[in-house]
Amino acid sequence: MTPPVVLRAVQESDYPEWKALYQQYADFYQVPMPPEVLEAVWGWLQDPQHETEGLVAEDAGHLVGLAHFRRMPSPLRGSDIGFLDDLFVTPDARGERLGEALIARLEEIARERGWPKIRWITADDNYRARGLYDRVGQKTSWNLYEITC
């Protein structure tokens, strides 16, 4: 019998495998990932004072998924909520409900911290992820805008 996948906080020793996973995530979204960006995000994940935190899914001693999240103030609620920035599972581990498990772990963290909601965004054409998100959450009617400065 194979041991279960372990969901845990990202650790300093995870860097090489985390880096490879995050690069695959960036490649999927066709976002350039220069070394200085990788180093910045890794630095955030290792800094207990930074808002960004990371979870990983470990299977047989290797990372097969990641989730980056943070606290997000919600002024209309007068409270913090959670925001899921990044979720990625390796192609060979897809179909094992690891994305769902990472989100479920984030839900536990949100309850522990008193966050009444978790929000995230995804690309409109990311149909596989949207299938997961439709199972675990509710699509809102909000549209996303941004300004490049």
Side-chain angles (χ1 to χ4, degrees):
M1 185 162 95
T2 59
V5 172
V6 175
L7 302 177
R8 60 173 175 77
V10 67
Q11 301 169 355
E12 193 172 335
S13 60
D14 293 328
Y15 180 70
E17 289 189 87
W18 170 89
K19 180 180 173 182
L21 283 177
Y22 203 54
Q23 183 65 61
Q24 289 178 63
Y25 175 75
D27 291 347
F28 176 82
Y29 279 111
Q30 299 177 342
V31 173
M33 187 54 61
E36 58 272 13
V37 172
L38 279 167
E39 293 300 320
V41 175
W42 182 251
W44 295 346
L45 294 171
Q46 298 306 302
D47 180 356
Q49 301 304 310
H50 197 278
E51 292 290 335
T52 305
E53 298 179 66
L55 295 172
V56 292
E58 182 181 359
D59 186 14
H62 295 285
L63 300 188
V64 293
L66 62 78
H68 298 152
F69 66 97
R70 60 189 156 91
R71 175 188 70 84
M72 184 174 101
S74 179
L76 283 175
R77 287 172 188 79
S79 69
D80 292 332
I81 64 173
F83 193 87
L84 174 62
D85 286 293
D86 307 314
L87 180 69
F88 181 77
V89 173
T90 59
D92 59 330
R94 292 183 187 154
E96 297 179 30
R97 297 195 175 267
L98 296 180
E100 193 168 325
L102 285 161
I103 290 172
R105 177 64 188 118
L106 181 52
E107 284 182 90
E108 292 171 358
I109 292 168
R111 282 191 292 276
E112 291 166 7
R113 296 180 184 183
W115 299 343
K117 287 187 179 291
I118 302 167
R119 286 192 172 157
W120 63 92
I121 60 173
T122 195
D124 192 52
D125 64 351
N126 191 352
Y127 301 112
R128 184 162 192 155
R130 287 180 56 196
L132 162 64
Y133 300 152
D134 287 344
R135 279 197 316 274
V136 301
Q138 292 181 313
K139 186 177 181 315
T140 71
S141 61
W142 295 95
N143 293 312
L144 174 67
Y145 295 86
E146 65 184 16
I147 297 172
T148 301
C149 303

